[in-house]
Amino acid sequence: MALLHRARLHPGKLELLAAWLPGRPWYQGPVPADVVRVASFRFDDPDGAVGIETMLVSPGEGVVYQVPLTYRDAPLSGGDDWLVGTAEHTALGRRWVYDACGDPVYASALAAAIVTGGSQAEEFFEVDGVRETREPSMTVAGSGTPGSSVPAVQVIRRVVEGGSTTIVTDSVELAVVRRPGAGDGGLAGDALTGTWPGQPTPLPLAYAVAR
């Protein structure tokens, strides 16, 4: 489960992405990037330390980009190249926001969802000790088999940018499709697919192949 807070983030996520996206080699939208949120989903960090959220955003004209993000309460060691920005959270304080493709916690969660046929985390708020579930804005599903052995990701060895972003770890190779529907991820392994309002047919979002 993903515990959310009824709080504000300054600058907001879309503000951070508007400044960050134009510098990405896979972004082909207008500059500056005036993006809107299309949908999002979350994975759970088993240690409860890192927030993991994948956002689908659009700069207009029906184009959708996939941007996985991680939220940390301290800088990620060796993660300067993946920093999207910092923001102040009214409940949690300063948060370091990263392109999750450079974060091993995201790589581990993504691999687990794909390999085990998993889905997104249930999202909820806690108000006066009572949990209130938030309805998902999209649904994702892995094509793997429940109970499968999940590769343990300890380190990211390299990241290769392109139409998809390839994440090579010590145990699994992942491909994140940056523009869903515009091409595959370049891998032939199990996949994570997603649907969202206006996109009822599942589209590939990511792939995983054990190394």
Side-chain angles (χ1 to χ4, degrees):
M1 294 184 178
L3 174 62
L4 308 177
H5 298 269
R6 295 192 184 280
R8 295 184 302 276
L9 195 68
H10 180 75
K13 300 170 189 177
L14 293 179
E15 292 178 85
L16 290 173
L17 291 180
W20 177 80
L21 276 172
R24 304 310 98 199
W26 39 266
Y27 177 76
Q28 299 177 357
V31 178
D34 184 14
V35 294
V36 297
R37 177 182 177 274
V38 175
S40 65
F41 66 92
R42 287 179 178 259
F43 289 137
D44 183 44
D45 171 18
D47 294 332
V50 179
I52 310 170
E53 180 180 27
T54 294
M55 297 185 67
L56 299 186
V57 298
S58 174
E61 299 183 356
V63 177
V64 174
Y65 289 97
Q66 178 181 195
V67 185
L69 300 170
T70 52
Y71 308 110
R72 290 174 166 267
D73 62 4
L76 170 65
S77 178
D80 289 354
D81 290 345
W82 309 106
L83 183 66
V84 175
T86 59
E88 295 297 328
H89 192 286
T90 55
L92 301 175
R94 177 159 294 185
R95 308 299 285 173
W96 280 258
V97 182
Y98 289 94
D99 174 0
C101 291
D103 194 323
V105 172
Y106 166 74
S108 181
L110 177 61
I114 294 174
V115 171
T116 66
S119 186
Q120 72 265 39
E122 182 181 12
E123 300 178 19
F124 67 93
F125 296 100
E126 192 163 290
V127 181
D128 297 327
V130 177
R131 289 182 176 180
E132 297 181 0
T133 302
R134 183 166 79 172
E135 289 297 317
S137 61
M138 65 180 294
T139 302
V140 300
S143 66
T145 304
S148 296
S149 177
V150 179
V153 176
Q154 301 296 330
V155 64
I156 292 177
R157 301 203 182 282
R158 66 180 183 278
V159 178
V160 181
E161 297 279 23
S164 63
T165 297
T166 301
I167 308 167
V168 181
T169 79
D170 50 340
S171 61
V172 64
E173 185 170 333
L174 302 158
V176 176
V177 181
R178 289 298 194 172
R179 187 174 166 183
D184 62 30
L187 292 180
D190 286 322
L192 184 78
T193 59
T195 61
W196 56 91
Q199 182 55 55
T201 303
L203 288 179
L205 298 175
Y207 296 86
V209 175
R211 299 192 71 211

